[in-house]
Every structure is written in structure tokens, then in C-alpha cells.
Amino acid sequence: MARIKLLLFGFGIFSLLGAQIPSQVSAYDKPNDAGRTIVIQWHDEPDSTRTFIGYEIYRRASDEDTFSNVGLALRLSTTYEDASTIDHKDYYYYVRAVYTDTSFNSEITGPVQSSAQWFHRRRINVLVLAIIICGLVIWYIEKAKRGEKLYVRRISGLDAIDDAVGRATEMGRPILFSFGLGAITDVVTIAALSILGKIAKKSAEYQTKLIVPNYDPIVMAAAQETVRQAYLEAGRPDLYNENNLPFLTSDQFGYAAGVDGIMLRERPGAVFWQGYFFAESLILAETGHAIGAIQIAGTTAITQLPFFIAACDYTLIGEEMYAASCYLNPEPQMLGSLKGEDTAKMIITILFVILVLIATIGYFVPSVNNIFNKIFDWFTAQ
């Protein structure tokens, strides 16, 4: 208490002398955060006749006798965030303006407590969009459950799977499937697994050999389980051979050379490139084209799509890969999710077009520009 009185006395003396003391000091709980942070704010104009260093922030908890330095703010700063507090505990603060030859203390402010907020009120826009998207998905899932027909456009690359497997069977050649260099954490690899399941089931029904060379050992394990399950569903678990799904190497061009060697030796009648590919894409696709195989590719790698389009018979482009699971197995949950996401994308696209028109008109009409700024600020997450 004696120190507090001394500080207040010092504040009064410096005020009388006209010294530059940080004024209007306030402290408050940082809004919309996870707690443990108090914001200290002040007003000051450093004395230009002295060499100013910065501001020191001093803090005292309700159960402490003395103030301690908790941080330093640079010149021109007017706020400091103390992120080392304990929630629901009283704290007192003052700010010290430090010069090379002296320093000035502000008045003491407090008590103030930090606390966590359950809801970030400046992200209501995210909540509204989440409710709209989730609502659309649930609505379409319920429609699908009631048996209503939901339109999904034809995807030629997926329609051609049966033809490709049938062609390989008629030619007496095996089928080759590759995930490329994708890992099991890639969404496109998960999507490719559903396509592999469809192909494996068909190959089991037609008793056609399926070869799946792998770049990633975890993807290999997932592929083996997928193929085993597909053979079981087709009623031909006896045809499953784990040696047809080998691990080659985790080297990019070593893998490409290994797959090329398998193709030249086995000469598959149908080749599926489904997953994530890099520079080896054209090497693989050109080899498949050279041996006369029908090739169906699918990837989300934008830089590799031109090579697949040029060298393969069919190509799944971008999000067509993600729609494959729903297309091949149209269960209500998957179909409703696909339709809900597509409808949300359409709404967002229309909204963008409207905003572009408002911004264009606002260039000539200032009042319209203000409307655009308000909409833009609402959509900008803080």
C-alpha cells in the first residue's frame, strides 16, 4: 500500500511539472478470446526533448504486495496484451514511460480479470454460413431417404469402368491400378480407394487379375483390405492374391520405373491412374498408351491434368474424384452431402456475382459503395 501511495504521489508531482506521463490508462479483458489475456491501453505523447525508450508494463495481483514488470511496449504503442494472467483473478496495472535519463509512472488501474468467452461474436458470419450449408446437407439427405430422385450428372470416366474391365477380360489381360504418389492422408487417395473397390469387385466377378503397385506402405495396407473386401462381396475370396498388391518403393522415379516394368511385362488391358501424381504422370500414361491399354485417369493435381487428358481415354477432373464414391454407391447420406455441397457452392457463386455488380455500380455511386463495404466487412472473418 505504501508503494501505491508513493506512485500516486509521484504522479501528482510530475503532473504539476508538466511531464509526459501516460494518461487515460485502462485495462480490460480481451474480448472474444480463450481467456488468460488482459489488454492495457493508455494515451501518451512522449517528451520530444528527451530520448524516449519505450513503455514498461507493471502488474500486481490481488494476493501480491509489489508490482512486477510483465512486458515492454515500443515507442508509439498505446496498447499491450498481458497473456500471462490467471482467469477470474484480480490484477492491477500501471504503465511506465522510460527515457534515457528518467521515467514517469501512470496512475494505477484495476482491478480487472481475464476470462474466456464461449462465443466469438465477430464470427457470426461463419456460424450463419455453417448453418446454411449444414441445413442444405441435412435437407437433401432427408429427401434422399424418402426416395426422391436427386439428379447427379453422368461422369463418363466412371461409366467407362465396366467397359474397361470387360475389355481387359475379353483380351485375357490383367488390370493395373495405381494411386500415384498420394498418401493415405490425401482426400483424393481416400476417394480413389472407393473406385478401387468398384474395380476389384468387377475383376473378381470376371475372374480377371488385378495388379496394384504401391508407393506408400500405408496406402498399400488400405488397398489390400479394400480389394480383399471387394473379392469377398463378389463371392470369390479364393481369387484374392496379396502378391498382386506389392510395395515397390518410396522413390518417385523408382516407382515410375517399377510400374512401367510391370506394364511392359504384364501388358494390362486396362489401366487406372487414380490418385495424386507429380512429374511421373506422363511417363506412366505414355507407357500405358504404348502397350494399347484403355486408360482412365483421375487426379486433383491441376499441373498433371493436361498430361492425363492428352494420353488417357478418360479423365476425372478435380472434384469428379470426390463425387466418385457417391456416384458408384449412391447411399442417401452420400447423395445428400453431394447435393448439399453443390447447392451451397451455387449460392456462394451467385453471391459473388451480386457483390461484383454492387462493387462495379459503387465505383460510380458512392452510396452503393458504402453498402458494398458493409457487406464485405460482414463477410470478412476477424
Coordinates of all heavy atoms in Angstrom, one line a residue, residues 48-137:
S48 N 9.5 15.2 -26.5 CA 10.4 15.2 -27.6 C 11.8 15.8 -27.2 O 12.7 15.7 -28.0 CB 9.8 16.1 -28.8 OG 9.5 17.4 -28.3
T49 N 11.9 16.4 -26.1 CA 13.2 17.0 -25.7 C 14.1 15.9 -25.0 O 15.2 16.2 -24.7 CB 13.0 18.1 -24.6 OG1 12.3 17.6 -23.5 CG2 12.1 19.2 -25.3
R50 N 13.5 14.7 -24.8 CA 14.3 13.6 -24.2 C 14.4 12.4 -25.2 O 13.6 12.3 -26.1 CB 13.7 13.1 -22.9 CG 13.8 14.1 -21.7 CD 13.3 13.5 -20.5 NE 13.5 14.3 -19.3 CZ 12.5 15.1 -18.8 NH1 11.3 15.1 -19.3 NH2 12.8 15.8 -17.7
T51 N 15.3 11.5 -24.9 CA 15.4 10.3 -25.7 C 14.5 9.2 -25.1 O 14.8 8.8 -24.0 CB 16.9 9.8 -25.8 OG1 17.7 10.8 -26.3 CG2 17.0 8.5 -26.6
F52 N 13.4 9.0 -25.8 CA 12.4 8.0 -25.3 C 12.8 6.6 -25.7 O 13.2 6.3 -26.8 CB 11.1 8.4 -25.9 CG 9.9 7.5 -25.4 CD1 9.5 7.6 -24.1 CD2 9.3 6.6 -26.2 CE1 8.5 6.9 -23.6 CE2 8.3 5.8 -25.8 CZ 7.9 5.9 -24.5
I53 N 12.7 5.7 -24.7 CA 13.0 4.2 -25.0 C 11.8 3.4 -25.2 O 11.7 2.7 -26.2 CB 13.8 3.7 -23.7 CG1 15.1 4.4 -23.6 CG2 14.0 2.2 -23.9 CD1 15.9 4.0 -22.3
G54 N 10.7 3.5 -24.3 CA 9.5 2.7 -24.5 C 8.7 2.7 -23.3 O 8.9 3.5 -22.3
Y55 N 7.7 1.8 -23.2 CA 6.8 1.7 -22.1 C 7.0 0.4 -21.4 O 7.1 -0.7 -22.0 CB 5.4 1.8 -22.5 CG 5.0 3.1 -23.2 CD1 5.0 3.2 -24.6 CD2 4.8 4.3 -22.4 CE1 4.7 4.4 -25.2 CE2 4.5 5.5 -23.1 CZ 4.4 5.5 -24.4 OH 4.1 6.7 -25.1
E56 N 7.2 0.4 -20.1 CA 7.2 -0.8 -19.3 C 5.8 -1.0 -18.6 O 5.3 -0.1 -18.1 CB 8.3 -0.7 -18.2 CG 9.7 -0.8 -18.8 CD 10.8 -0.6 -17.7 OE1 10.5 -0.3 -16.6 OE2 12.0 -0.9 -18.1
I57 N 5.4 -2.2 -18.6 CA 4.1 -2.6 -18.1 C 4.3 -3.3 -16.7 O 5.0 -4.3 -16.7 CB 3.2 -3.5 -19.0 CG1 3.3 -2.9 -20.5 CG2 1.8 -3.6 -18.6 CD1 2.8 -1.5 -20.7
Y58 N 3.7 -2.7 -15.7 CA 3.8 -3.3 -14.4 C 2.5 -3.9 -13.9 O 1.4 -3.3 -14.2 CB 4.3 -2.3 -13.4 CG 5.8 -2.0 -13.6 CD1 6.3 -1.1 -14.6 CD2 6.8 -2.7 -12.8 CE1 7.6 -0.9 -14.8 CE2 8.1 -2.5 -13.0 CZ 8.5 -1.6 -14.0 OH 9.9 -1.3 -14.2
R59 N 2.5 -5.0 -13.2 CA 1.3 -5.7 -12.8 C 1.5 -6.2 -11.3 O 2.5 -6.6 -10.9 CB 1.1 -6.9 -13.7 CG -0.2 -7.6 -13.4 CD -0.3 -8.9 -14.2 NE 0.6 -9.9 -13.7 CZ 0.8 -11.1 -14.4 NH1 0.2 -11.3 -15.5 NH2 1.6 -12.0 -13.8
R60 N 0.3 -6.1 -10.6 CA 0.3 -6.7 -9.3 C -1.0 -7.4 -9.1 O -2.1 -6.9 -9.5 CB 0.3 -5.6 -8.2 CG 0.3 -6.1 -6.8 CD 0.4 -5.0 -5.8 NE -0.8 -4.1 -5.8 CZ -1.9 -4.5 -5.1 NH1 -2.0 -5.6 -4.4 NH2 -3.0 -3.7 -5.1
A61 N -0.9 -8.7 -8.7 CA -2.1 -9.5 -8.4 C -2.7 -9.1 -7.1 O -2.0 -8.5 -6.2 CB -1.8 -11.0 -8.5
S62 N -4.0 -9.5 -6.9 CA -4.6 -9.1 -5.6 C -4.0 -9.7 -4.4 O -4.1 -9.2 -3.3 CB -6.1 -9.6 -5.7 OG -6.2 -11.0 -5.9
D63 N -3.3 -10.9 -4.6 CA -2.6 -11.5 -3.5 C -1.1 -11.2 -3.4 O -0.4 -11.9 -2.8 CB -2.8 -13.0 -3.5 CG -2.4 -13.6 -4.9 OD1 -2.0 -12.8 -5.8 OD2 -2.4 -14.9 -5.0
E64 N -0.7 -10.2 -4.1 CA 0.7 -9.8 -4.1 C 0.9 -8.4 -3.5 O 0.0 -7.6 -3.6 CB 1.3 -9.8 -5.6 CG 1.3 -11.2 -6.2 CD 1.7 -11.2 -7.7 OE1 1.8 -10.1 -8.2 OE2 1.9 -12.3 -8.2
D65 N 2.1 -8.1 -3.0 CA 2.3 -6.8 -2.3 C 3.0 -5.8 -3.2 O 2.9 -4.6 -3.0 CB 3.2 -7.1 -1.1 CG 2.5 -7.9 0.0 OD1 1.3 -7.8 0.0 OD2 3.2 -8.6 0.7
T66 N 3.7 -6.3 -4.2 CA 4.5 -5.4 -5.1 C 4.2 -5.6 -6.5 O 3.7 -6.7 -7.0 CB 6.0 -5.6 -4.9 OG1 6.3 -7.0 -5.2 CG2 6.4 -5.4 -3.4
F67 N 4.4 -4.6 -7.3 CA 4.3 -4.6 -8.8 C 5.5 -5.3 -9.4 O 6.6 -5.1 -8.9 CB 4.0 -3.3 -9.4 CG 2.6 -2.7 -9.2 CD1 2.3 -2.1 -8.0 CD2 1.7 -2.9 -10.2 CE1 1.0 -1.6 -7.8 CE2 0.4 -2.4 -10.0 CZ 0.0 -1.8 -8.8
S68 N 5.3 -6.0 -10.5 CA 6.4 -6.6 -11.2 C 6.3 -6.3 -12.7 O 5.2 -6.1 -13.2 CB 6.5 -8.1 -11.0 OG 5.3 -8.7 -11.4
N69 N 7.4 -6.2 -13.4 CA 7.4 -5.9 -14.8 C 7.0 -7.1 -15.6 O 7.6 -8.2 -15.5 CB 8.8 -5.4 -15.2 CG 8.9 -4.9 -16.7 OD1 8.0 -5.1 -17.4 ND2 9.9 -4.2 -17.0
V70 N 6.0 -6.9 -16.4 CA 5.4 -8.1 -17.2 C 5.6 -7.9 -18.7 O 5.3 -8.8 -19.5 CB 4.0 -8.3 -16.9 CG1 3.8 -8.8 -15.5 CG2 3.1 -7.1 -17.2
G71 N 6.1 -6.7 -19.1 CA 6.3 -6.6 -20.6 C 6.8 -5.2 -20.9 O 6.9 -4.3 -20.1
L72 N 7.2 -5.1 -22.2 CA 7.7 -3.8 -22.7 C 7.0 -3.5 -24.0 O 6.9 -4.3 -24.9 CB 9.2 -3.9 -23.0 CG 9.9 -2.7 -23.6 CD1 9.9 -1.5 -22.7 CD2 11.3 -3.0 -24.0
A73 N 6.5 -2.2 -24.2 CA 5.9 -1.8 -25.4 C 6.8 -0.7 -26.1 O 7.4 0.1 -25.4 CB 4.5 -1.2 -25.1
L74 N 6.9 -0.8 -27.4 CA 7.8 0.1 -28.1 C 7.2 1.5 -28.2 O 6.0 1.7 -27.9 CB 8.1 -0.4 -29.5 CG 8.8 -1.8 -29.5 CD1 9.0 -2.3 -30.9 CD2 10.1 -1.7 -28.7
R75 N 7.9 2.5 -28.7 CA 7.5 3.8 -28.9 C 6.3 3.8 -29.9 O 6.3 3.0 -30.8 CB 8.7 4.6 -29.5 CG 8.4 6.1 -29.8 CD 9.6 6.7 -30.5 NE 9.3 8.1 -30.8 CZ 9.6 9.1 -30.0 NH1 10.2 8.9 -28.9 NH2 9.3 10.4 -30.3
L76 N 5.4 4.7 -29.7 CA 4.2 4.9 -30.4 C 3.1 3.8 -30.1 O 2.0 3.9 -30.7 CB 4.4 4.9 -32.0 CG 5.4 6.0 -32.5 CD1 5.6 5.8 -34.0 CD2 4.9 7.4 -32.1
S77 N 3.5 2.9 -29.2 CA 2.5 1.9 -28.8 C 1.5 2.5 -27.8 O 1.9 3.4 -27.0 CB 3.1 0.7 -28.2 OG 4.0 0.1 -29.1
T78 N 0.2 2.1 -27.9 CA -0.8 2.6 -27.0 C -1.5 1.4 -26.3 O -2.4 1.6 -25.5 CB -1.8 3.5 -27.6 OG1 -2.4 2.8 -28.7 CG2 -1.1 4.8 -28.1
T79 N -1.2 0.2 -26.7 CA -1.8 -1.0 -26.1 C -0.8 -2.1 -25.8 O 0.3 -2.1 -26.5 CB -2.9 -1.6 -27.0 OG1 -2.3 -1.9 -28.2 CG2 -4.0 -0.6 -27.2
Y80 N -1.1 -2.9 -24.9 CA -0.2 -4.1 -24.6 C -1.1 -5.2 -24.1 O -2.1 -5.0 -23.3 CB 0.8 -3.7 -23.5 CG 1.7 -4.9 -23.1 CD1 2.8 -5.3 -23.9 CD2 1.4 -5.7 -22.0 CE1 3.6 -6.4 -23.6 CE2 2.1 -6.8 -21.7 CZ 3.2 -7.1 -22.5 OH 4.0 -8.2 -22.2
E81 N -0.9 -6.4 -24.6 CA -1.7 -7.6 -24.2 C -0.9 -8.4 -23.2 O 0.2 -9.0 -23.6 CB -2.1 -8.4 -25.4 CG -3.1 -7.7 -26.3 CD -3.6 -8.6 -27.4 OE1 -3.2 -9.8 -27.4 OE2 -4.4 -8.1 -28.2
D82 N -1.3 -8.5 -22.0 CA -0.7 -9.4 -21.0 C -1.3 -10.8 -21.1 O -2.5 -11.0 -20.6 CB -0.9 -8.8 -19.6 CG -0.3 -9.6 -18.5 OD1 0.5 -10.6 -18.9 OD2 -0.5 -9.3 -17.3
A83 N -0.6 -11.7 -21.7 CA -1.2 -13.0 -21.9 C -0.7 -14.1 -20.9 O -0.6 -15.2 -21.2 CB -0.8 -13.5 -23.3
S84 N -0.3 -13.6 -19.7 CA 0.2 -14.5 -18.7 C -0.7 -14.4 -17.4 O -0.2 -14.6 -16.3 CB 1.6 -14.1 -18.4 OG 1.7 -12.8 -17.9
T85 N -1.9 -14.1 -17.6 CA -2.8 -14.0 -16.4 C -3.5 -15.3 -16.1 O -3.5 -16.2 -16.9 CB -3.9 -12.9 -16.6 OG1 -4.7 -13.3 -17.7 CG2 -3.2 -11.5 -17.0
I86 N -4.1 -15.3 -14.9 CA -4.9 -16.4 -14.5 C -6.4 -15.9 -14.5 O -6.7 -14.9 -13.9 CB -4.5 -16.9 -13.1 CG1 -3.1 -17.4 -13.1 CG2 -5.5 -18.0 -12.6 CD1 -2.6 -17.8 -11.7
D87 N -7.2 -16.7 -15.1 CA -8.6 -16.2 -15.3 C -9.3 -16.1 -13.9 O -9.0 -16.8 -13.0 CB -9.4 -17.2 -16.1 CG -9.0 -17.1 -17.6 OD1 -8.4 -16.2 -17.9 OD2 -9.4 -18.1 -18.3
H88 N -10.2 -15.1 -13.8 CA -11.0 -14.8 -12.7 C -10.2 -14.4 -11.4 O -10.5 -14.7 -10.3 CB -11.9 -16.0 -12.3 CG -12.7 -16.5 -13.5 ND1 -13.6 -15.7 -14.1 CD2 -12.6 -17.7 -14.1 CE1 -14.1 -16.4 -15.2 NE2 -13.6 -17.6 -15.2
K89 N -9.0 -13.8 -11.7 CA -8.2 -13.3 -10.6 C -8.0 -11.8 -10.8 O -7.7 -11.3 -11.9 CB -6.8 -14.0 -10.6 CG -5.9 -13.7 -9.5 CD -4.7 -14.5 -9.5 CE -3.8 -14.2 -8.3 NZ -2.5 -15.0 -8.3
D90 N -8.0 -11.0 -9.7 CA -7.9 -9.5 -9.8 C -6.5 -9.1 -10.1 O -5.6 -9.6 -9.4 CB -8.4 -8.9 -8.5 CG -9.9 -9.0 -8.4 OD1 -10.6 -9.1 -9.5 OD2 -10.4 -8.9 -7.3
Y91 N -6.3 -8.2 -11.0 CA -5.0 -7.6 -11.3 C -5.1 -6.1 -11.4 O -6.1 -5.5 -11.7 CB -4.5 -8.1 -12.7 CG -4.1 -9.6 -12.7 CD1 -5.0 -10.6 -13.1 CD2 -2.9 -10.0 -12.3 CE1 -4.7 -11.9 -13.1 CE2 -2.5 -11.4 -12.3 CZ -3.4 -12.3 -12.7 OH -3.1 -13.6 -12.7
Y92 N -3.9 -5.5 -11.0 CA -3.8 -4.0 -11.1 C -2.6 -3.7 -12.0 O -1.6 -4.5 -12.0 CB -3.5 -3.4 -9.7 CG -4.7 -3.7 -8.7 CD1 -4.8 -4.9 -8.0 CD2 -5.7 -2.7 -8.5 CE1 -5.8 -5.1 -7.1 CE2 -6.7 -2.9 -7.7 CZ -6.8 -4.1 -7.0 OH -7.8 -4.4 -6.1
Y93 N -2.7 -2.6 -12.7 CA -1.6 -2.3 -13.7 C -1.3 -0.8 -13.6 O -2.1 0.0 -13.3 CB -2.1 -2.6 -15.1 CG -2.2 -4.1 -15.5 CD1 -3.4 -4.7 -15.3 CD2 -1.2 -4.8 -16.0 CE1 -3.6 -6.0 -15.6 CE2 -1.3 -6.1 -16.3 CZ -2.5 -6.8 -16.1 OH -2.7 -8.1 -16.4
Y94 N 0.0 -0.5 -14.0 CA 0.3 0.9 -14.3 C 1.4 0.8 -15.4 O 2.0 -0.2 -15.6 CB 0.8 1.7 -13.1 CG 2.1 1.4 -12.6 CD1 3.3 1.9 -13.1 CD2 2.2 0.5 -11.5 CE1 4.6 1.6 -12.6 CE2 3.5 0.2 -10.9 CZ 4.6 0.8 -11.5 OH 5.9 0.5 -11.0
V95 N 1.5 1.9 -16.2 CA 2.4 2.0 -17.3 C 3.5 3.0 -17.0 O 3.3 4.1 -16.5 CB 1.7 2.4 -18.6 CG1 2.7 2.5 -19.8 CG2 0.6 1.5 -18.9
R96 N 4.8 2.6 -17.3 CA 5.9 3.5 -17.0 C 6.5 3.9 -18.3 O 6.9 3.1 -19.2 CB 7.0 2.8 -16.2 CG 8.3 3.5 -16.0 CD 9.3 2.8 -15.1 NE 8.8 2.8 -13.7 CZ 9.4 2.2 -12.8 NH1 10.5 1.4 -13.0 NH2 9.0 2.2 -11.5
A97 N 6.6 5.2 -18.6 CA 7.2 5.8 -19.8 C 8.7 5.9 -19.4 O 9.1 6.7 -18.5 CB 6.6 7.1 -20.2
V98 N 9.6 5.2 -20.2 CA 11.0 5.2 -19.9 C 11.8 6.0 -20.8 O 11.7 5.8 -22.1 CB 11.5 3.7 -19.9 CG1 13.0 3.6 -19.5 CG2 10.7 2.8 -19.0
Y99 N 12.6 7.0 -20.3 CA 13.5 7.8 -21.1 C 14.9 7.4 -20.7 O 15.1 6.6 -19.7 CB 13.3 9.3 -20.8 CG 11.9 9.7 -21.3 CD1 10.8 9.6 -20.5 CD2 11.8 10.4 -22.5 CE1 9.6 10.0 -20.9 CE2 10.5 10.8 -23.0 CZ 9.4 10.6 -22.2 OH 8.2 11.1 -22.6
T100 N 15.9 7.9 -21.4 CA 17.3 7.5 -21.0 C 17.7 8.1 -19.7 O 18.6 7.5 -19.0 CB 18.2 8.0 -22.1 OG1 18.0 9.4 -22.3 CG2 18.0 7.3 -23.4
D101 N 17.1 9.2 -19.3 CA 17.6 9.9 -18.1 C 16.5 9.8 -17.0 O 16.8 10.2 -15.8 CB 17.9 11.3 -18.4 CG 16.7 12.1 -19.0 OD1 15.8 11.4 -19.5 OD2 16.8 13.3 -19.0
T102 N 15.3 9.4 -17.3 CA 14.3 9.4 -16.2 C 13.1 8.5 -16.7 O 13.2 7.9 -17.8 CB 13.7 10.8 -15.9 OG1 12.8 10.7 -14.8 CG2 13.0 11.3 -17.1
S103 N 12.1 8.4 -15.9 CA 10.9 7.6 -16.2 C 9.7 8.2 -15.5 O 9.9 8.8 -14.4 CB 11.1 6.1 -15.9 OG 11.3 6.0 -14.5
F104 N 8.5 8.0 -16.0 CA 7.3 8.5 -15.5 C 6.3 7.4 -15.3 O 6.0 6.6 -16.3 CB 6.7 9.6 -16.3 CG 7.7 10.8 -16.5 CD1 8.1 11.1 -17.8 CD2 8.2 11.5 -15.5 CE1 9.0 12.1 -18.0 CE2 9.1 12.5 -15.7 CZ 9.5 12.8 -17.0
N105 N 5.6 7.3 -14.2 CA 4.6 6.3 -14.0 C 3.2 6.8 -14.1 O 2.9 8.0 -13.7 CB 4.8 5.7 -12.6 CG 6.1 5.0 -12.4 OD1 6.7 4.6 -13.4 ND2 6.5 4.8 -11.2
S106 N 2.4 6.0 -14.7 CA 1.0 6.4 -14.8 C 0.2 6.1 -13.5 O 0.8 5.6 -12.6 CB 0.3 5.7 -16.0 OG 0.1 4.3 -15.6
E107 N -1.1 6.5 -13.5 CA -1.9 6.1 -12.4 C -2.2 4.6 -12.4 O -2.0 4.0 -13.5 CB -3.2 6.8 -12.4 CG -4.2 6.4 -13.5 CD -4.0 7.1 -14.8 OE1 -2.8 7.6 -15.0 OE2 -5.0 7.2 -15.5
I108 N -2.6 4.0 -11.3 CA -2.9 2.6 -11.3 C -4.3 2.3 -11.7 O -5.2 3.1 -11.3 CB -2.6 2.0 -9.9 CG1 -1.2 2.2 -9.5 CG2 -3.0 0.6 -9.7 CD1 -0.8 1.9 -8.1
T109 N -4.5 1.3 -12.5 CA -5.8 0.9 -12.9 C -6.1 -0.5 -12.5 O -5.2 -1.3 -12.4 CB -6.0 1.1 -14.4 OG1 -7.3 0.8 -14.8 CG2 -5.1 0.1 -15.2
G110 N -7.4 -0.8 -12.2 CA -7.8 -2.1 -11.7 C -8.8 -2.0 -10.6 O -9.1 -0.9 -10.2
P111 N -9.3 -3.1 -10.1 CA -9.0 -4.4 -10.5 C -9.6 -4.8 -11.9 O -10.7 -4.3 -12.2 CB -9.5 -5.3 -9.4 CG -10.7 -4.5 -8.9 CD -10.3 -3.1 -9.1
V112 N -9.0 -5.8 -12.5 CA -9.5 -6.3 -13.8 C -9.2 -7.8 -13.8 O -8.2 -8.3 -13.3 CB -8.9 -5.6 -15.0 CG1 -7.4 -5.8 -15.0 CG2 -9.5 -6.1 -16.3
Q113 N -10.1 -8.6 -14.4 CA -10.0 -10.1 -14.5 C -10.0 -10.5 -16.0 O -10.7 -9.9 -16.8 CB -11.1 -10.8 -13.8 CG -11.1 -10.5 -12.3 CD -12.2 -11.3 -11.6 OE1 -13.1 -11.8 -12.2 NE2 -12.2 -11.4 -10.3
S114 N -9.3 -11.6 -16.3 CA -9.5 -12.2 -17.6 C -10.4 -13.4 -17.5 O -10.6 -14.0 -16.5 CB -8.1 -12.7 -18.1 OG -7.6 -13.7 -17.2
S115 N -11.1 -13.6 -18.6 CA -12.0 -14.8 -18.7 C -12.1 -15.2 -20.1 O -11.9 -14.4 -21.1 CB -13.3 -14.4 -18.1 OG -13.9 -13.4 -18.8
A116 N -12.5 -16.5 -20.3 CA -12.8 -17.0 -21.7 C -14.2 -16.8 -22.1 O -15.1 -16.8 -21.3 CB -12.4 -18.5 -21.7
Q117 N -14.4 -16.5 -23.4 CA -15.7 -16.3 -24.0 C -16.1 -17.6 -24.8 O -15.3 -18.1 -25.5 CB -15.8 -15.1 -24.9 CG -15.8 -13.8 -24.1 CD -14.5 -13.4 -23.6 OE1 -13.5 -13.4 -24.3 NE2 -14.4 -13.0 -22.3
W118 N -17.3 -18.0 -24.6 CA -17.8 -19.2 -25.3 C -18.0 -18.9 -26.7 O -17.9 -19.8 -27.5 CB -19.1 -19.7 -24.6 CG -18.9 -20.3 -23.3 CD1 -19.0 -19.7 -22.1 CD2 -18.5 -21.7 -23.1 NE1 -18.7 -20.7 -21.1 CE2 -18.4 -21.9 -21.7 CE3 -18.3 -22.8 -23.9 CZ2 -18.1 -23.1 -21.1 CZ3 -18.0 -24.0 -23.3 CH2 -17.9 -24.1 -21.9
F119 N -18.4 -17.7 -27.1 CA -18.8 -17.4 -28.5 C -18.0 -16.2 -29.0 O -17.9 -15.2 -28.3 CB -20.3 -17.2 -28.5 CG -20.8 -17.0 -29.9 CD1 -20.9 -18.1 -30.7 CD2 -21.1 -15.8 -30.4 CE1 -21.4 -18.0 -32.0 CE2 -21.6 -15.6 -31.7 CZ -21.7 -16.7 -32.5
H120 N -17.4 -16.3 -30.2 CA -16.7 -15.2 -30.8 C -17.8 -14.4 -31.6 O -18.1 -14.8 -32.7 CB -15.6 -15.8 -31.8 CG -14.6 -14.7 -32.2 ND1 -15.0 -13.5 -32.5 CD2 -13.3 -14.8 -32.3 CE1 -13.9 -12.8 -32.8 NE2 -12.8 -13.6 -32.7
R121 N -18.2 -13.3 -31.1 CA -19.3 -12.6 -31.7 C -18.9 -12.0 -33.0 O -19.8 -11.6 -33.8 CB -19.8 -11.5 -30.7 CG -20.5 -12.1 -29.5 CD -21.0 -11.0 -28.6 NE -19.8 -10.4 -27.9 CZ -19.9 -9.4 -27.1 NH1 -21.1 -8.9 -26.8 NH2 -18.9 -8.9 -26.5
R122 N -17.7 -11.8 -33.4 CA -17.3 -11.3 -34.6 C -17.2 -12.3 -35.7 O -16.7 -12.0 -36.8 CB -16.0 -10.5 -34.5 CG -16.1 -9.4 -33.5 CD -14.9 -8.4 -33.6 NE -15.0 -7.7 -34.8 CZ -14.1 -6.7 -35.2 NH1 -13.1 -6.4 -34.4 NH2 -14.2 -6.1 -36.3
R123 N -17.5 -13.5 -35.4 CA -17.6 -14.6 -36.4 C -19.0 -15.2 -36.6 O -19.1 -16.4 -36.9 CB -16.6 -15.7 -36.0 CG -15.1 -15.3 -36.1 CD -14.2 -16.4 -35.9 NE -12.8 -15.9 -36.0 CZ -11.7 -16.7 -35.9 NH1 -11.9 -17.9 -35.5 NH2 -10.5 -16.2 -36.0
I124 N -19.9 -14.3 -36.4 CA -21.3 -14.7 -36.6 C -21.5 -15.1 -38.1 O -22.3 -16.0 -38.4 CB -22.3 -13.6 -36.2 CG1 -22.2 -13.4 -34.7 CG2 -23.7 -13.9 -36.7 CD1 -23.1 -12.2 -34.2
N125 N -20.7 -14.5 -39.0 CA -20.8 -14.8 -40.4 C -20.5 -16.3 -40.7 O -21.2 -17.0 -41.4 CB -19.9 -13.9 -41.2 CG -18.5 -13.9 -40.7 OD1 -18.2 -14.5 -39.7 ND2 -17.7 -13.1 -41.3
V126 N -19.5 -16.8 -40.0 CA -19.1 -18.2 -40.1 C -20.2 -19.1 -39.6 O -20.5 -20.1 -40.2 CB -17.8 -18.5 -39.4 CG1 -17.4 -20.0 -39.5 CG2 -16.7 -17.6 -39.9
L127 N -20.8 -18.7 -38.5 CA -21.9 -19.5 -37.9 C -23.1 -19.6 -38.9 O -23.7 -20.6 -39.1 CB -22.3 -18.9 -36.6 CG -23.6 -19.6 -35.9 CD1 -23.2 -21.0 -35.6 CD2 -24.0 -18.8 -34.7
V128 N -23.4 -18.4 -39.5 CA -24.6 -18.3 -40.4 C -24.3 -19.2 -41.6 O -25.2 -20.0 -42.0 CB -24.8 -16.9 -40.8 CG1 -25.9 -16.8 -42.0 CG2 -25.3 -16.1 -39.6
L129 N -23.1 -19.1 -42.2 CA -22.8 -20.0 -43.4 C -22.8 -21.4 -43.0 O -23.2 -22.3 -43.8 CB -21.4 -19.5 -43.9 CG -21.4 -18.2 -44.6 CD1 -19.9 -17.8 -45.0 CD2 -22.3 -18.1 -45.8
A130 N -22.3 -21.8 -41.8 CA -22.2 -23.2 -41.4 C -23.7 -23.7 -41.2 O -24.0 -24.9 -41.6 CB -21.5 -23.3 -40.1
I131 N -24.6 -22.9 -40.7 CA -25.9 -23.3 -40.5 C -26.6 -23.5 -41.9 O -27.3 -24.5 -42.1 CB -26.7 -22.3 -39.7 CG1 -26.2 -22.3 -38.2 CG2 -28.2 -22.6 -39.7 CD1 -26.8 -21.2 -37.4
I132 N -26.3 -22.6 -42.8 CA -26.9 -22.8 -44.1 C -26.5 -24.0 -44.8 O -27.2 -24.8 -45.4 CB -26.6 -21.5 -45.0 CG1 -27.3 -20.3 -44.4 CG2 -27.0 -21.7 -46.5 CD1 -26.9 -19.0 -45.1
I133 N -25.1 -24.3 -44.8 CA -24.6 -25.4 -45.5 C -25.0 -26.7 -44.8 O -25.5 -27.7 -45.5 CB -23.0 -25.3 -45.5 CG1 -22.6 -24.1 -46.4 CG2 -22.4 -26.6 -46.1 CD1 -21.1 -23.9 -46.3
C134 N -25.0 -26.8 -43.5 CA -25.4 -28.0 -42.8 C -26.9 -28.2 -43.0 O -27.4 -29.4 -43.2 CB -25.1 -27.9 -41.3 SG -23.4 -27.9 -40.9
G135 N -27.7 -27.1 -43.0 CA -29.1 -27.3 -43.3 C -29.4 -27.8 -44.7 O -30.3 -28.7 -44.8
L136 N -28.7 -27.4 -45.7 CA -28.9 -27.9 -47.0 C -28.5 -29.4 -47.1 O -29.2 -30.2 -47.7 CB -28.0 -27.1 -48.0 CG -28.5 -25.7 -48.3 CD1 -27.4 -24.9 -49.1 CD2 -29.8 -25.7 -49.1
V137 N -27.4 -29.8 -46.5 CA -27.0 -31.2 -46.5 C -28.0 -32.1 -45.8 O -28.4 -33.1 -46.4 CB -25.6 -31.3 -45.8 CG1 -25.3 -32.8 -45.6 CG2 -24.5 -30.6 -46.6

